[in-house]
Amino acid sequence: MPEDKEESQGEEEEEEEESEDEEEEKPAAKDAKKADFKPPPRNEKGAESPEKAAGKEAEAPAKPAEVEFKPHDSYPPMKAAAEIVYCPVCSLPPDFCIFGPCWEKCKPWCMENFPEYYPELSGANIDDAKKTAQEAAEKGKEKLLPGGKKRRENSPRVTIRKLTRGGRKCVTSVAGLEGFGVKLDGVAKLFKKKFACGSAVVKGDNGAPDTVDVQGDFEDEIIDIITQEYKDIPREKFSTLESGTKKKGKPK
């Protein structure tokens, strides 16, 4: 009986040792599995998949051609100054016109004289380019208001003003006749003949318009003569200004 008890105790101890060994082997196997495990790639929100990234790399533009650097002493010696042609429109070299301020105006000239600089324009129509350049030039002359509205041109008018000179003497000055296409020399001769007095064309100072000055007070008579001789100028276009003083001429 005592021998049977000892055998059963020995078997229990062996089973306990085996169970302890199995428990030790399980974490070691788990660690080995974790080491061998490679998680699959996860796409976060906004992240691109590897396929899309590879496609973008394929679509990326090619790098510009690299020009081999050569020191200046490796070139042949210069015998004369190089002649460079500049664009008559923007004053830039022809290969830089496309970066200038008025490429549309320069385009026809570049297509005719330097087509090798712009091979992408080989199939373009030169007549269309000239038409576009002309439209751009005309558009540049127009003075536009904010919002792209065109500025309304002022209607031409004839102004008559009486200027006193040296006390009782006076001069009648007429300005604005050039706006109606009237030659001032012809008007001065007409006044001289009608009024039998001195009449001459006086150039305006500091951007002022030229005038026809008549010696004497003829404000109303001048309006009648101009409307009779020049039918294109209606009486509504005349305005009389307040009297002033005529400046003396510059000393010689």
Side-chain angles (χ1 to χ4, degrees), residues 102-220:
C102 49
W103 167 235
E104 293 297 333
K105 299 179 185 178
C106 306
K107 190 184 293 185
W109 182 80
C110 293
M111 291 172 65
E112 288 180 342
N113 298 279
F114 296 93
E116 63 274 13
Y117 290 142
Y118 304 99
E120 66 274 10
L121 300 177
S122 58
N125 191 348
I126 186 70
D127 295 332
D128 294 341
K130 288 181 178 180
K131 187 177 179 180
T132 306
Q134 187 176 359
E135 291 176 356
E138 291 176 356
K139 188 176 180 180
K141 294 179 181 178
E142 294 180 359
K143 295 181 179 180
L144 301 178
L145 296 172
K149 296 180 180 179
K150 292 184 179 180
R151 185 186 297 273
R152 185 177 178 181
E153 296 181 358
N154 295 329
S155 177
R157 295 189 66 85
V158 180
T159 57
I160 300 174
R161 188 174 187 180
K162 184 170 67 174
L163 306 173
T164 60
R165 184 183 64 179
R168 294 183 179 180
K169 295 180 180 179
C170 69
V171 175
T172 305
S173 179
V174 184
L177 292 171
E178 289 180 335
F180 295 93
V182 178
K183 293 183 179 180
L184 301 185
D185 292 334
V187 176
K189 290 179 181 179
L190 177 64
F191 291 162
K192 193 173 185 180
K193 182 179 179 181
K194 292 287 184 180
F195 303 129
C197 63
S199 178
V201 179
V202 180
K203 291 185 178 180
D205 296 332
N206 300 325
D210 297 344
T211 61
V212 179
D213 289 0
V214 185
Q215 295 179 2
D217 184 4
F218 302 104
E219 292 182 0
D220 298 331

Side-chain angles (χ1 to χ4, degrees), residues 3-247:
E3 292 177 0
D4 296 338
K5 288 182 179 180
E6 288 176 0
E7 289 177 0
S8 62
Q9 288 178 358
E11 290 177 358
E12 289 178 358
E13 288 177 359
E14 288 177 1
E15 289 177 358
E16 288 178 359
E17 289 177 0
E18 288 177 359
S19 62
E20 289 177 359
D21 293 339
E22 289 177 358
E23 289 178 358
E24 290 177 358
E25 288 177 359
K26 284 181 181 179
K30 288 181 180 179
D31 294 338
K33 286 182 179 180
K34 286 183 180 179
D36 297 337
F37 177 73
K38 292 182 180 180
R42 292 183 299 173
N43 293 333
E44 298 179 359
K45 290 184 179 180
E48 295 181 353
S49 63
E51 297 177 357
K52 289 184 178 180
K56 281 196 172 182
E57 291 179 359
E59 293 176 1
K63 294 182 179 180
E66 295 183 0
V67 181
E68 184 182 356
F69 172 76
K70 292 183 180 181
H72 67 280
D73 54 1
S74 64
Y75 289 93
M78 295 180 64
K79 297 181 180 179
E83 294 182 1
I84 301 175
V85 180
Y86 293 94
C87 176
V89 181
C90 65
S91 302
L92 292 174
D95 50 337
F96 281 84
C97 285
I98 193 170
F99 307 109
C102 49
W103 167 235
E104 293 297 333
K105 299 179 185 178
C106 306
K107 190 184 293 185
W109 182 80
C110 293
M111 291 172 65
E112 288 180 342
N113 298 279
F114 296 93
E116 63 274 13
Y117 290 142
Y118 304 99
E120 66 274 10
L121 300 177
S122 58
N125 191 348
I126 186 70
D127 295 332
D128 294 341
K130 288 181 178 180
K131 187 177 179 180
T132 306
Q134 187 176 359
E135 291 176 356
E138 291 176 356
K139 188 176 180 180
K141 294 179 181 178
E142 294 180 359
K143 295 181 179 180
L144 301 178
L145 296 172
K149 296 180 180 179
K150 292 184 179 180
R151 185 186 297 273
R152 185 177 178 181
E153 296 181 358
N154 295 329
S155 177
R157 295 189 66 85
V158 180
T159 57
I160 300 174
R161 188 174 187 180
K162 184 170 67 174
L163 306 173
T164 60
R165 184 183 64 179
R168 294 183 179 180
K169 295 180 180 179
C170 69
V171 175
T172 305
S173 179
V174 184
L177 292 171
E178 289 180 335
F180 295 93
V182 178
K183 293 183 179 180
L184 301 185
D185 292 334
V187 176
K189 290 179 181 179
L190 177 64
F191 291 162
K192 193 173 185 180
K193 182 179 179 181
K194 292 287 184 180
F195 303 129
C197 63
S199 178
V201 179
V202 180
K203 291 185 178 180
D205 296 332
N206 300 325
D210 297 344
T211 61
V212 179
D213 289 0
V214 185
Q215 295 179 2
D217 184 4
F218 302 104
E219 292 182 0
D220 298 331
E221 292 85 347
I222 284 174
I223 296 175
D224 295 334
I225 292 174
I226 292 176
T227 53
Q228 290 174 6
E229 296 292 331
Y230 303 98
K231 305 294 184 182
D232 296 337
I233 306 176
R235 188 174 289 270
E236 294 80 13
K237 293 293 183 180
F238 288 86
S239 59
T240 305
L241 303 179
E242 295 180 0
S243 301
T245 304
K246 184 174 177 63
K247 295 180 181 179

